[in-house]
Every structure is written in C-alpha cells, then in structure tokens.
Amino acid sequence: MSLHRFETSQRLPMSLDEAWSFFSDPRNLAHITPPEMRFEIVTPAPSRIYAGLIVAYRVRPLGPLPVTWVTEITHVRKGSYFVDEQRVGPYRLWHHEHRLVPVAGGVEVRDVVHYALPLGPLGSLVNRLLVGPRVRAIFAYRRRVLSERFHARVADAPAAAGDRAAA
C-alpha cells in the first residue's frame, strides 16, 4: 500500500475563536468544496464537531457518479485541532488533521492529509494521474474561497507543500 501525504497551510486575518467557530461547524464544508462536486451532508449534522461524531456525505469527486463518504471525528482539542477519518468511502485510508495556530495578525490553518487508495500498484498510478491532482485542486479551491471570505491577501497564504509518498 502506498501512503500519500498532502500538506498545506494558509494564514487568515481572524481570531482563533472565529476560526474555530467556522472550521468546527461541519456544515461549512459545503462552502469550501468545489461546486462541481455537488457536496451534501446526508445525515443530521450539529453546529459543532465532537470526538465520535459520524457524518455521512454524498459527493461527486470525479464526475457525475455520486459517492457516499462517511467520516468520524476521532480527535478534538477545542480551539486547536481536530481529526477526521474515513469510515466508508473511496479511499483505503483517509486521515485528515486540521490545525489552527495563532500567528501575528490572525490564524494559520494547517491541513495534513494521509491517504491510500485501493488497488495496490494500480492505485499509485491512479493517484499520480487523477486523485493527487484532484486533492490539490480541491485544496486550491478552498484556499481561494477562504481568502475571499476572510479577506486574506494571497501573499499571506503559503503555497501547498504538495503530495508526496510517506515512508
């Protein structure tokens, strides 16, 4: 199994409390997901995450066919970080750590995603040609939306670290 890692960070001119309020509300994920993915939450979602929360989504990551994706919030430290992990969905493994770090003038939002695809060596090829670029595009869209929504300057948003295989 090839384990892939995608890492990105972005500085936003907002307080830690404002950032936590936005990012810990699972309903806001729809606002920062590319519209062509037609993202929708299919289970009741509270306004705040908590460890053990299960959320089911319907999404179209690569075209018109819907995919059901079920995630669990496995770790939460209020105002600091949370982790979501796939329980049902297209990946063999999906572990997404969201960190909020106070910095001068605001908050740095850090995302670290570890993921693996099914299909062994074929999965690695699919990642290189299709999934890796799509993951990068999703986070690039998210960066643009967050910059516009929270009036961040592009210069304040470091570029994504990219996708690389983890050892």
Side-chain angles (χ1 to χ4, degrees), residues 14-101:
M14 61 197 313
S15 72
L16 182 59
D17 287 341
E18 289 171 310
W20 183 257
S21 181
F22 181 82
F23 289 102
S24 68
D25 183 341
R27 299 169 302 181
N28 284 330
L29 189 53
H31 301 297
I32 59 175
T33 300
E36 68 271 13
M37 292 181 67
R38 295 175 42 200
F39 175 92
E40 61 181 306
I41 297 175
V42 296
T43 54
S47 61
R48 293 289 166 260
I49 58 167
Y50 56 85
L53 175 64
I54 303 284
V55 181
Y57 314 95
R58 187 168 300 115
V59 66
R60 289 161 177 81
L62 298 172
L65 297 176
V67 173
T68 298
W69 193 349
V70 179
T71 61
E72 178 181 0
I73 303 300
T74 57
H75 300 79
V76 176
R77 180 173 293 153
K78 185 177 179 182
S80 181
Y81 75 94
F82 64 95
V83 175
D84 67 82
E85 297 181 2
Q86 175 191 283
R87 295 296 176 241
V88 175
Y91 294 90
R92 185 168 179 196
L93 172 118
W94 176 271
H95 180 276
H96 181 181
E97 180 180 317
H98 310 251
R99 287 213 176 260
L100 301 175
V101 180

Side-chain angles (χ1 to χ4, degrees), residues 83-164:
V83 175
D84 67 82
E85 297 181 2
Q86 175 191 283
R87 295 296 176 241
V88 175
Y91 294 90
R92 185 168 179 196
L93 172 118
W94 176 271
H95 180 276
H96 181 181
E97 180 180 317
H98 310 251
R99 287 213 176 260
L100 301 175
V101 180
V103 295
V107 173
E108 183 175 38
V109 179
R110 298 178 185 165
D111 292 281
V112 179
V113 179
H114 289 90
Y115 66 95
L117 299 171
L119 308 174
L122 182 58
S124 291
L125 178 62
V126 169
N127 182 65
R128 192 167 45 256
L129 298 176
L130 198 61
V131 176
R134 187 64 181 141
V135 168
R136 289 189 295 277
I138 290 166
F139 279 89
Y141 176 85
R142 183 173 293 185
R143 173 183 301 279
R144 284 190 305 276
V145 168
L146 291 170
S147 290
E148 290 169 9
R149 182 177 186 128
F150 298 111
H151 310 290
R153 296 178 323 175
V154 174
D156 291 337
D163 176 37
R164 53 190 179 273

